[in-house]
């Protein structure tokens, strides 16, 4: 390891002990890139690279091959493919493409492993990786109006004097179909959507689509103006929608007054029914990073009145179909590879012209029945497909988990390996997805457990404590309490949740409520200063209140550890977000004191920083950062300034921010340990972080470069945290599709550092950054490269099983982000099938002689006396 940032300051030494070694700014270093093909397209081939790294390119040389031919007009595609394989194998599909006469480019050869032969009625079917016709038939079914029942809501009390009520606290009217809808506290509109195009609509990876409805209100001039959006912005379909198939969706809108209110005042409105799809025809930063291009738009007038009326439903006015473009094939990607999809798109005729020889590398699923091979042209847009049945034998797939006291719970004297996730019933999945949230939440948690999930975090949002004010509605808080009740009854264990984030300004009022104390806090904007002397005490008091009420359902590992979690992202390294969150004046003063303790004199600092400060009091890093638009605020990207990534000044700033994070958690744990000595800290971040110390800032692998520099943006320098022993587990909304070999290295290093990974990957939509020399945004400074490079976001579907396997076999805790419906991290039908497969393979291991020994040898039942500090209380009777 090249140690550019080891243990930091004198203050670290005073608190934790250890030698002081000055942190040096890492120099720029070469970085690996994805190649650009001769035809100008990006070659994104991570599966091929992993095969090359693990010496598996020749795996199928001795396997018999299936051969065939696909013809489309004057084009001929000859192929060979292995006739048998195991799930998750990467098949080499060799092809030769020739043509008679002139060929029109681009031309694509694609292979998929997800298509169900029984559901493809028209064999010439596109998919969203390389779309064809995108058409929808949308039908309005009707609406349901709900009214809050006065006084029926449950409100928390600090002294536990509250009594359980019934969830939800509203009454639903029957569904009606009318052009005049009864106003109320919540209105759901139901739509039926039929796929009338020739493209399979899927929710994941390079493909992906979603609804993005908008409500507009007619103003006094007769013009429709924006009123509100759906709470989650996007309405997701977790299942594949094949041509000719139909799905139904519930749509509702928030009030224009308050996000958590859905009450829409009487008036004339228009529902804009819109859907988008991932866009790759040309590189576009916003389309590529976040949403996509419109594929369908329609609007429907609706009147909301105080009383219901029986009135005709106005016809839906369709204003866009097929994205206004029948040719959607990518013009900047030559090769693409993800789980169950691979293609080569020849952007122009190669020098050797005719024929074209190539190889697709396709990763299949355990349930793959056939590989679908496609030849696609764009002038005109046509697709010819061949369904090639192969034999898939999964008997060779076996798990060899490393079970130990820190990644298992104990039940009935046996080790139970943990599978980690997060309940988001409050934030994303209650009345937003169904008029019957009590049914949805019950079924959702039941499904999680069926898929093998046995420990869940919560969002730890402060919505529970909106109850302080006894409001007429608290939809998010009520549903969170209900989900906690359901988890308790079903036996789903919970992370001992803390606060989100650690410094939210509402913490002060919540602390005063649960403690009966009255403290003032150093608040700036939506934050409490991390240097506030009362912040750790306040957090600990809130965490202990939650422990008292819900602690009987908290997870405890075999080693006795009870993980207390706080989601606390303090910075971002992502293509659309590059920031460090602001410090506030009190913390800037602490930073100056920290620097004074580290350097003793301003002259020593100036020598190290190449600066000219007259005193420590002049130092203010935020005077030199960029304050711009969303995602680009508090950036340190200007190399002409003293504080810039990754200068000596910013290196010290990130070291200080990490030190302060460590101090915050240590101070809170000191209070928690008075009641729960077994409490440990689990940090949850966002952005594909891994908290490890053995990572080289000059490693040419962009994924390891991402880890190193993201640690600094997020204020979690791995070497400092490993030395401090500040927390024992790390969770993350992981979006980087680390390969199995990378995962094994990262996980093993985490355990060596005493920090067990329990990440929550967004398998349906990982967001890789393909470093290259042509497409994307400037990434030279973000990854500290020695020459200009760019990064383009690649949305990729990543397999759950191979990820879980790598994590558990190195002793970590596998996990998944289950239902972040806004941020595109949710378990589709694919991930759920994979989790059931993983569960089956884990059960096979546990039933084997080796597994019986691993799960029973020297098992230690942890001390549960801490439960005496809990007073379990339910919020609802149902």
């Amino acid at each position: 390891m090249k140690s550019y940032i080891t243990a930091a300051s004198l203050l670290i030494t005073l608190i934790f002990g250890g030698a002081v070694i000055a942190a040096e700014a890492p120099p720029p270093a070469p970085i690996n890139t994805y190649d650009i093909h001769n035809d100008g397209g990006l070659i994104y081939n991570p599966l091929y690279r992993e095969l090359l790294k693990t010496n598996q390119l020749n795996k199928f040389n001795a396997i018999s091959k299936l051969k065939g031919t696909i013809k489309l007009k004057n084009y001929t595609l000859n192929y060979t493919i292995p006739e048998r394989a195991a799930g998750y194998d990467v098949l080499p599909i060799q092809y030769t493409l020739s043509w008679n006469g002139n060929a029109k480019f681009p031309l694509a050869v694609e292979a998929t492993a997800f298509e169900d032969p029984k559901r493809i009625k028209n064999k010439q079917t596109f998919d969203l990786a390389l779309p064809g016709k995108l058409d929808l038939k949308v039908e309005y079914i009707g609406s349901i109006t709900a009214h809050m029942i006065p006084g029926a809501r449950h409100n928390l009390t600090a002294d536990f004097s509250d009594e359980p009520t019934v969830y939800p606290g509203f009454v639903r009217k029957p569904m009606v179909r009318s052009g005049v809808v009864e106003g109320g506290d919540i209105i759901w509109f139901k739509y039926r959507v039929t796929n009338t195009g020739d493209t399979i609509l899927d929710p994941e990876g390079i493909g992906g689509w979603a609804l993005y409805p908008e409500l507009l209100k007619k103003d006094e001039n007769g013009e429709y103006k924006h009123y509100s959006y759906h709470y989650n912005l996007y309405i997701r379909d977790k299942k594949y929608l094949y041509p000719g198939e139909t799905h139904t969706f519930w749509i509702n809108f928030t009030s224009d007054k308050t996000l958590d209110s859905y009450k829409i005042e009487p008036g004339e409105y228009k529902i804009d029914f819109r859907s988008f799809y991932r866009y790759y025809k040309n590189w576009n930063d916003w389309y590529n990073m976040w949403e996509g291009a419109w594929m369908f738009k329609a609007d429907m007038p609706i009147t909301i009145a105080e009383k219901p009326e029986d009135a005709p439903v106005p016809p839906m006015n369709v204003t866009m179909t097929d994205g206004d473009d029948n040719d959607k094939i990518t013009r900047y990607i030559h090769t693409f590879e993800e789980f169950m999809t691979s293609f080569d798109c020849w952007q122009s005729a190669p020098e050797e012209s005719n024929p074209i020889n190539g190889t697709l590398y396709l990763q299949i699923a355990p349930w793959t029945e056939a590989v679908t091979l496609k030849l696609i042209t764009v002038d005109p847009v046509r697709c010819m497909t061949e369904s090639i049945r192969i034999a898939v034998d999964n008997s060779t797939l076996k798990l060899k988990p490393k079970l130990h006291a820190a990644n298992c719970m104990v039940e009935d004297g046996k080790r139970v390996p943990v599978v980690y996730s997060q309940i988001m019933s409050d934030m994303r999945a209650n009345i937003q997805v169904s008029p019957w949230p009590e049914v949805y939440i019950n079924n959702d948690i039941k499904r999680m457990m069926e898929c093998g999930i046995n420990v869940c975090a919560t969002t730890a949002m402060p919505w529970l404590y909106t109850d302080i004010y006894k409001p007429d509605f608290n939809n998010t808080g009520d549903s969170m309490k209900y989900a906690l009740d359901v988890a308790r009854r079903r036996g789903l264990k919970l992370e001992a949740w803390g606060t989100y984030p650690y410094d939210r300004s509402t913490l002060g009022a919540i602390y005063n409520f649960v403690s009966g104390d009255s403290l003032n806090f150093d608040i700036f904007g939506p934050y409490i200063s991390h240097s506030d002397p009362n912040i750790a005490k306040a957090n600990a008091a809130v965490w202990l209140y939650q422990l008292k009420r819900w602690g009987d359902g908290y997870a405890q590992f075999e080693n006795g550890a009870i993980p207390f979690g706080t989601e606390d992202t303090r910075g971002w390294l992502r293509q659309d977000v590059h920031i460090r969150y602001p410090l506030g004046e009190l913390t800037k003063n602490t930073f100056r004191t920290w620097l004074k303790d580290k350097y003793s004199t301003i002259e020593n600092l100036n020598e190290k920083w190449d600066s000219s400060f007259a005193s420590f009091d002049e130092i203010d890093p935020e005077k030199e950062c960029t304050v711009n638009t969303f995602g680009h605020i508090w950036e340190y990207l200007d190399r002409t300034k003293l504080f810039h990534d990754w200068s000596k000044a910013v290196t010290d700033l990130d070291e200080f921010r990490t030190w302060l994070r460590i101090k915050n958690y240590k101070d809170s744990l000191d209070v928690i340990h008075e009641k729960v000595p077994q409490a440990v800290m689990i940090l949850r971040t966002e952005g594909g972080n891994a908290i490890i110390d053995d990572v080289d800032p000059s490693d040419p692998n962009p994924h390891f470069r991402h880890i190193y520099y993201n640690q600094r943006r997020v204020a979690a320098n791995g070497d400092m945290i490993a030395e401090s022993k500040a927390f024992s587990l790390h969770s993350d909304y992981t979006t980087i599709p680390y390969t199995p070999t990378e995962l094994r290295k990262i996980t093993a290093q985490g355990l060596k550092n005493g920090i067990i990974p329990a990440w929550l990957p967004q398998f349906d939509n990982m967001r890789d950054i393909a470093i290259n020399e042509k497409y994307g945004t400037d990434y030279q400074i973000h990854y500290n490269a020695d020459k200009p490079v760019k990064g383009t976001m690649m949305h990729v579907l990543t397999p759950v099983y191979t990820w879980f396997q790598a994590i558990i076999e190195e002793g970590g805790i596998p996990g998944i982000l289950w239902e972040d419906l806004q941020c595109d991290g949710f378990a589709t039908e694919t991930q759920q099938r994979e989790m059931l497969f993983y569960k089956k393979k884990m059960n096979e291991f546990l039933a084997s002689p080796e597994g019986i020994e691993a799960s029973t040898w020297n098992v230690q039942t942890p001390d549960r006396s801490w439960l005496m500090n809990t007073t379990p209380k339910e919020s609802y009777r149902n």
Side-chain angles (χ1 to χ4, degrees):
M1 174 188 180
K2 296 183 179 179
S3 179
Y4 288 98
I5 56 152
T6 46
S9 68
L10 290 172
L11 294 180
I12 281 282
T13 305
L14 290 172
I15 293 174
F16 301 112
V20 178
I21 303 174
E24 298 298 332
I31 191 168
N32 292 340
T33 60
Y34 282 102
D35 295 332
I36 303 298
H37 193 269
N38 291 336
D39 65 12
L42 175 70
I43 302 176
Y44 180 72
N45 56 349
L47 295 178
Y48 169 80
R49 291 182 175 205
E50 182 77 353
L51 291 176
L52 192 63
K53 185 187 299 183
T54 55
N55 297 314
Q56 294 187 72
L57 279 176
N58 299 323
K59 181 175 181 177
F60 289 95
N61 282 0
I63 302 295
S64 299
K65 306 297 191 298
L66 300 171
K67 298 182 179 182
T69 299
I70 298 175
K71 293 192 175 185
L72 176 59
K73 295 296 182 181
N74 61 325
Y75 301 97
T76 301
L77 180 72
N78 294 306
Y79 64 84
T80 63
I81 181 173
E83 67 176 4
R84 66 181 186 275
Y88 301 106
D89 275 346
V90 178
L91 306 185
I93 303 173
Q94 297 174 332
Y95 67 86
T96 299
L97 176 61
S98 59
W99 54 90
N100 297 319
N102 293 326
K104 296 181 179 180
F105 289 83
L107 293 170
V109 180
E110 182 188 9
T112 66
F114 62 81
E115 298 185 31
D116 184 346
K118 296 184 292 293
R119 294 169 68 183
I120 301 174
K121 298 176 182 178
N122 179 357
K123 292 192 67 174
Q124 281 61 57
T125 303
F126 296 80
D127 62 88
L128 282 176
L130 298 170
K133 185 178 180 181
L134 300 176
D135 270 359
L136 300 176
K137 177 183 178 184
V138 180
E139 302 167 273
Y140 175 62
I141 306 301
S143 66
I144 290 178
T145 298
H147 298 272
M148 300 299 296
I149 303 171
R153 279 199 56 256
H154 173 269
N155 288 299
L156 292 175
T157 58
D159 63 1
F160 284 46
S161 61
D162 52 281
E163 293 297 328
T165 59
V166 175
Y167 178 80
F170 54 73
V171 60
R172 291 164 285 243
K173 296 289 189 71
M175 187 167 75
V176 297
R177 190 176 189 278
S178 174
V180 178
V181 173
E182 177 185 1
D185 294 294
I186 313 166
I187 305 172
W188 294 269
F189 303 94
K190 189 174 185 180
Y191 285 87
R192 180 187 297 122
V193 174
T194 303
N195 182 353
T196 53
D198 58 13
T199 302
I200 300 170
L201 302 181
D202 72 87
E204 53 200 8
I206 188 174
W209 75 291
L211 305 180
Y212 189 2
E214 182 181 11
L215 185 64
L216 299 97
K217 185 180 182 183
K218 184 182 287 188
D219 65 12
E220 61 276 7
N221 298 319
E223 297 181 4
Y224 285 101
K225 300 292 181 64
H226 169 78
Y227 181 84
S228 68
Y229 292 111
H230 180 67
Y231 186 97
N232 291 334
L233 293 183
Y234 314 118
I235 296 175
R236 310 288 186 175
D237 191 353
K238 297 179 183 179
K239 297 183 178 181
Y240 285 71
L241 184 60
Y242 280 68
E245 294 181 346
T246 294
H247 290 174
T248 58
F249 301 91
W250 290 102
I251 295 176
N252 56 20
F253 300 94
T254 60
S255 166
D256 66 337
K257 305 293 193 303
T258 307
L259 182 63
D260 198 37
S261 170
Y262 291 74
K263 190 167 188 174
I264 301 172
E265 60 192 31
E268 293 185 60
Y269 293 85
K270 185 168 65 175
I271 297 174
D272 263 15
F273 190 100
R274 310 174 303 184
S275 63
F276 64 83
Y277 69 102
R278 297 280 184 221
Y279 178 84
Y280 297 100
K281 184 169 182 178
N282 301 295
W283 192 85
N284 177 295
D285 55 356
W286 188 253
Y287 283 174
N288 182 264
M289 287 188 289
W290 195 238
E291 294 168 359
W294 296 120
M295 60 182 272
F296 178 88
K297 287 184 181 182
D299 58 70
M300 186 187 80
I302 200 83
T303 298
I304 295 178
E306 291 186 4
K307 295 183 179 181
E309 296 180 26
D310 185 7
V313 175
M316 181 171 287
N317 176 40
V318 178
T319 56
M320 176 189 285
T321 61
D322 202 18
D324 275 349
D325 186 0
N326 67 338
D327 170 12
K328 308 170 190 67
I329 196 169
T330 179
R331 297 305 200 269
Y332 74 96
I333 302 173
H334 177 88
T335 295
F336 178 85
E337 297 171 354
E338 67 173 356
F339 180 37
M340 299 195 294
T341 298
S342 177
F343 67 74
D344 283 344
C345 183
W346 296 87
Q347 303 294 341
S348 59
E351 290 181 4
E352 57 272 21
S353 186
N354 189 356
I356 293 174
N357 295 301
T359 304
L360 298 178
Y361 292 92
L362 176 68
Q363 187 174 34
I364 66 172
W367 57 83
T368 296
E369 297 178 20
V371 169
T372 303
L373 197 60
K374 308 183 184 187
L375 175 58
I376 301 172
T377 64
V378 299
D379 188 13
V381 178
R382 290 195 182 97
C383 177
M384 184 63 68
T385 69
E386 179 88 14
S387 184
I388 308 154
R389 291 194 172 267
I390 61 172
V392 179
D393 180 3
N394 298 315
S395 61
T396 58
L397 295 177
K398 297 183 184 297
L399 292 175
K400 298 180 180 179
K402 187 181 292 184
L403 306 184
H404 53 88
N407 72 346
C408 289
M409 297 184 291
V410 176
E411 293 179 7
D412 300 325
K414 295 181 180 179
R415 292 188 181 93
V416 177
V418 170
V419 177
Y420 205 72
S421 192
Q422 182 180 49
I423 295 174
M424 297 189 78
S425 303
D426 55 340
M427 191 177 187
R428 302 291 184 220
N430 55 85
I431 62 173
Q432 304 100 326
V433 294
S434 171
W436 296 274
E438 71 277 28
V439 175
Y440 184 91
I441 291 170
N442 259 292
N443 290 340
D444 195 42
I445 290 176
K446 179 175 179 284
R447 183 60 175 170
M448 293 174 81
M449 297 180 72
E450 289 172 348
C451 289
I453 293 167
N454 52 17
V455 176
C456 269
T458 74
T459 61
M461 279 286 188
W463 293 314
L464 291 172
Y465 300 100
T466 303
D467 282 358
I468 296 171
Y469 311 106
K470 296 180 173 57
D472 294 334
F473 58 87
N474 183 9
N475 295 302
T476 45
D478 291 349
S479 58
M480 183 174 182
K481 287 179 289 184
Y482 185 72
L484 297 175
D485 282 358
V486 173
R488 171 189 275 144
R489 293 167 191 165
R490 289 192 175 276
L492 177 65
K493 294 300 181 182
L494 299 174
E495 170 191 285
W497 71 94
T499 45
Y500 169 71
Y502 188 85
D503 59 351
R504 187 182 291 274
S505 61
T506 52
L507 172 66
I510 297 169
Y511 166 77
N512 292 339
F513 167 71
V514 301
S515 68
D517 199 355
S518 181
L519 290 176
N520 294 318
F521 294 85
D522 186 77
I523 294 176
F524 63 102
Y527 313 105
I528 295 178
S529 170
H530 289 132
S531 296
D532 189 296
N534 292 314
I535 191 172
K537 173 183 176 181
N539 273 291
V542 175
W543 301 1
L544 286 172
Y545 172 84
Q546 292 159 182
L547 166 83
K548 186 176 181 180
R549 189 175 191 110
W550 291 286
D552 61 306
Y554 283 2
Q556 184 175 24
F557 295 159
E558 183 188 351
N559 63 1
I562 304 164
F564 279 69
T566 180
E567 185 175 327
D568 194 19
T569 300
R570 299 189 183 185
W572 290 84
L573 196 165
R574 202 172 79 181
Q575 189 172 43
D576 52 342
V577 185
H578 289 299
I579 62 176
R580 290 169 177 81
Y581 284 109
L583 302 173
E585 291 304 317
L586 183 61
T587 294
K588 283 190 274 190
N589 283 333
T590 306
F591 179 46
R592 296 172 188 125
T593 301
W594 185 90
L595 290 170
K596 190 180 297 183
D597 286 340
K598 180 171 183 177
Y599 289 105
S600 300
T601 68
I602 195 65
E603 290 77 16
N604 289 340
L605 179 142
N606 284 333
E607 181 181 356
K608 284 288 186 181
W609 285 13
D610 192 21
S611 56
S612 57
F613 293 109
S615 72
F616 288 99
D617 293 339
E618 292 183 1
I619 297 172
D620 184 349
E622 290 177 356
K623 281 187 176 179
E624 297 197 340
C625 71
T626 301
V627 179
N628 204 335
T629 57
F630 168 76
H632 300 279
I633 47 180
W634 307 298
E635 288 183 333
Y636 294 83
L637 302 181
D638 187 344
R639 290 187 184 272
T640 66
K641 296 181 177 179
L642 178 66
F643 282 91
H644 69 263
D645 292 341
W646 305 94
S647 66
K648 175 58 177 163
V650 162
T651 298
D652 277 343
L653 176 64
D654 292 342
E655 195 174 282
F656 162 75
R657 294 166 61 241
T658 300
W659 167 81
L660 190 53
R661 180 193 286 280
I662 292 169
K663 183 179 186 303
N664 288 157
Y665 298 165
K666 180 181 180 296
D667 290 348
S668 286
L669 276 178
D670 284 347
V671 178
I672 299 291
H673 283 158
E674 295 174 8
K675 298 286 187 182
V676 188
Q678 304 97 321
V680 300
M681 179 66 71
I682 176 170
L683 167 66
R684 186 158 51 260
T685 55
E686 297 178 88
N689 292 285
I691 310 302
I692 57 175
D693 69 348
D694 190 17
V695 57
D696 187 344
S698 63
D699 193 312
N701 183 336
H703 286 175
F704 290 124
R705 201 73 69 92
H706 180 91
I707 290 172
Y708 183 90
Y709 289 105
N710 209 11
Q711 284 182 359
R712 278 121 196 93
R713 290 261 180 90
V714 82
N717 291 12
D719 51 352
M720 294 175 64
I721 289 173
E723 182 178 350
S724 73
K725 311 299 182 187
F727 51 83
S728 302
L729 300 101
H730 172 234
S731 181
D732 187 90
Y733 293 168
T734 304
T735 53
I736 296 294
Y738 297 112
T739 67
T741 54
E742 292 167 348
L743 285 170
R744 290 181 182 276
K745 180 177 180 179
I746 297 167
T747 303
Q749 186 60 37
L751 266 73
K752 183 179 178 181
N753 294 153
I755 305 167
I756 296 178
W759 301 319
L760 306 176
Q762 300 184 195
F763 292 104
D764 70 303
N765 180 35
M766 293 294 207
R767 301 167 194 170
D768 205 6
I769 301 298
I771 301 300
N772 70 97
E773 297 179 354
K774 186 173 182 179
Y775 299 103
T777 56
D778 179 19
Y779 250 79
Q780 181 177 5
I781 192 169
H782 300 310
Y783 284 174
N784 204 15
D786 64 343
K787 64 179 182 180
V789 291
K790 294 185 177 182
T792 182
M793 186 179 288
M794 306 299 289
H795 297 267
V796 296
L797 174 63
T798 299
V800 171
Y801 181 85
T802 54
W803 184 293
F804 277 21
Q805 180 182 32
I807 295 287
I808 196 67
E809 291 186 349
E810 296 298 331
I813 298 175
I816 182 173
L817 189 59
W818 183 260
E819 56 187 356
D820 196 332
L821 298 171
Q822 177 173 314
C823 297
D824 214 347
F826 50 91
T828 71
E829 61 175 296
T830 300
Q831 287 84 61
Q832 293 182 39
R833 291 178 78 172
E834 284 198 85
M835 293 179 74
L836 292 170
F837 183 75
Y838 172 82
K839 181 179 177 181
K840 174 185 174 183
K841 290 295 179 179
M842 178 59 76
N843 288 338
E844 288 176 3
F845 168 78
L846 294 174
S848 70
E850 182 184 8
I852 292 171
E853 181 179 5
S855 61
T856 59
W857 184 81
N858 200 28
V859 174
Q860 304 296 313
T861 301
D863 175 20
R864 302 275 286 172
S865 60
W866 58 275
L867 283 169
M868 293 186 298
N869 293 301
T870 68
T871 307
K873 181 101 178 184
E874 292 199 336
S875 301
Y876 301 102
R877 296 190 297 271
N878 58 320

